[in-house]
Amino acid sequence: MSPKVRHIVKLLSRLPGVGEKTAQRYVLWLLTADEALSRDLGAELLRLRDELGPCGRCGNVAEIHEGHALCDVCADGKRDGRLLCVVARVHDLMAIERAGAMRGRYFVLGKLLSPLEGIGPDELPLDRLAVRIRDDGVTEVIVATPPSVDGEATALLLKRELAPLGVTVSRIASGVPHGGDLEFADPITMGRALSGRQRL
Ligand SMILES: [Zn+2]
């Protein structure tokens, strides 16, 4: 294999779910498929980090304009600002959006409380969450962390930390299997999990 091919295979195999064999297949395919595809892909990848970034309000993926990023959900004036759904990752936000069952807005934690991995409460953006709740006049926080040990621990932490703010804290119902991933829940299950949420 030429050093050039080896290099690009090595880069591609760093993507999640892509091993060396798959990376090699991608490279060989890109070399023989329509040339416009690899040129477009290359151009988009070059711009990716300049034009997209985390939304300054919720952490969702957003387009950057004049140094500021505001996602479509935060910019949508028809959303109910009193309802705030807290998720662990952008993947989860996207899964809930796909289900179309959320009329409020979101807050992405970025990580879960995890005593086993040494992630404590100080590493979660709880201060930013509190500011967001106050600024937006949020009345209900729906905790949609995954139904795992870390997800449950994070939900209980949020319940305790947010209690002084006087908001209702609820947890999505257990329509999503324990240990399961929100990302893979079908829209109906997700819709039921949200509508069946229970007060913590
Ligand atoms: Zn946003």
Side-chain angles (χ1 to χ4, degrees):
M1 218 194 292
S2 88
K4 245 187 208 324
V5 174
R6 249 203 318 272
H7 183 58
I8 187 163
V9 165
K10 212 167 164 188
L11 288 176
L12 282 172
S13 61
R14 285 169 63 182
L15 295 174
V18 180
E20 203 158 313
K21 272 188 197 157
T22 307
Q24 195 174 320
R25 212 164 63 221
Y26 285 171
V27 173
L28 295 177
W29 189 76
L30 284 167
L31 278 171
T32 51
D34 184 4
E35 189 182 332
L37 177 70
S38 37
R39 294 204 183 277
D40 281 353
L41 187 62
E44 289 299 331
L45 284 175
L46 274 180
R47 289 206 300 262
L48 186 73
R49 297 297 288 259
D50 293 328
E51 297 182 355
L52 293 173
C55 170
R57 288 166 59 76
C58 75
N60 187 12
V61 175
E63 287 188 24
I64 300 170
H65 293 292
E66 291 163 5
H68 297 286
L70 188 70
C71 76
D72 292 346
V73 177
C74 287
D76 181 356
K78 291 200 282 290
R79 297 278 175 150
D80 184 352
R82 293 166 302 177
L83 204 56
L84 188 70
C85 183
V86 177
V87 293
R89 309 172 306 160
V90 175
H91 296 74
D92 301 326
L93 182 161
M94 288 178 171
I96 296 171
E97 277 299 290
R98 267 200 308 276
M102 180 68 193
R103 52 187 174 82
R105 293 203 176 91
Y106 298 89
F107 186 87
V108 181
L109 290 172
K111 55 180 84 171
L112 292 171
L113 188 67
S114 178
L116 278 177
E117 288 178 38
I119 301 171
D122 292 348
E123 288 175 64
L124 299 184
L126 298 174
D127 292 344
R128 272 200 300 122
L129 176 58
V131 168
R132 175 81 195 274
I133 289 170
R134 277 195 214 105
D135 286 358
D136 284 20
V138 171
T139 55
E140 182 180 355
V141 171
I142 302 171
V143 183
T145 51
S148 60
V149 173
D150 292 350
E152 299 300 345
T154 306
L156 291 176
L157 171 76
L158 289 174
K159 154 86 180 147
R160 200 178 64 214
E161 292 290 320
L162 302 180
L165 300 179
V167 286
T168 300
V169 181
S170 55
R171 176 92 175 99
I172 53 166
S174 54
V176 184
H178 185 84
D181 205 323
L182 298 190
E183 200 184 335
F184 303 115
D186 64 274
I188 292 172
T189 305
M190 182 69 83
R192 281 190 193 140
L194 272 168
S195 63
R197 64 185 183 268
Q198 284 171 359
R199 223 177 141 140
L200 270 176

